[in-house]
């Protein structure tokens, strides 16, 4: 019901920067949390960064002080500004969006994933 369109990643040299975006469209009720995830050793996916609707953020330890997540609620879009990129940041980055349908007595939460975008950090 909700489609997520991620911007293309790319090839970046170590120390470089890249900005990703993810836009939600379709049958949206209300976009709640949004975030970025990537595969990691020992787990299927690890948190890169997440942001609530009111702007509260969480970051994975490996990207703190280097990445910044932001969002535009009017556009249902989340961004990830990646600075000081390292080779170990090379991964497919997946956008995650939580859509919440609210009712008087109950609510329904749906989680959607983007198809992923490749980011490669290499010389």
């Amino acid at each position: 019901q909700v489609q997520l369109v991620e911007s293309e990643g790319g090839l970046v040299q170590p120390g470089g920067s890249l900005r990703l975006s993810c836009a939600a469209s379709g049958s949206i009720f209300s976009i709640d949390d949004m975030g970025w995830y990537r595969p990691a050793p020992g787990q299927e996916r690890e948190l890169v960064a997440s942001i609530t609707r009111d702007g509260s953020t969480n970051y994975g330890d490996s990207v703190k002080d280097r990445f910044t997540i932001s969002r535009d609620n009017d556009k249902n879009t989340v961004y990830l500004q990646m600075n000081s990129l390292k080779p170990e940041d090379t991964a497919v980055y997946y956008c995650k969006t939580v859509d919440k349908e609210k009712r008087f007595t109950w609510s329904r939460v749906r989680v959607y994933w983007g198809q992923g975008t490749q980011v490669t950090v290499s010389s």
Side-chain angles (χ1 to χ4, degrees), residues 9-28:
L11 175 63
V12 185
Q13 293 186 349
S17 298
L18 188 66
R19 184 176 177 86
L20 303 179
S21 66
C22 174
S25 63
S27 184
I28 296 172

Side-chain angles (χ1 to χ4, degrees), residues 46-50 58-65:
E46 70 172 357
L47 170 71
V48 177
S50 65
N58 285 310
Y59 294 94
D61 290 339
S62 63
V63 306
K64 289 181 179 178
D65 302 320

Side-chain angles (χ1 to χ4, degrees), residues 34-75:
M34 306 183 81
W36 294 91
Y37 294 77
R38 68 189 185 189
Q43 59 189 93
E44 189 167 355
R45 291 177 182 176
E46 70 172 357
L47 170 71
V48 177
S50 65
I51 184 168
T52 65
R53 187 172 181 84
D54 65 4
S56 297
T57 59
N58 285 310
Y59 294 94
D61 290 339
S62 63
V63 306
K64 289 181 179 178
D65 302 320
R66 298 191 298 119
F67 292 7
T68 302
I69 189 171
S70 61
R71 64 187 291 166
D72 185 334
N73 291 335
D74 291 335
K75 297 180 179 179

Side-chain angles (χ1 to χ4, degrees), residues 51 76 82:
I51 184 168
N76 293 318
M82 302 182 291

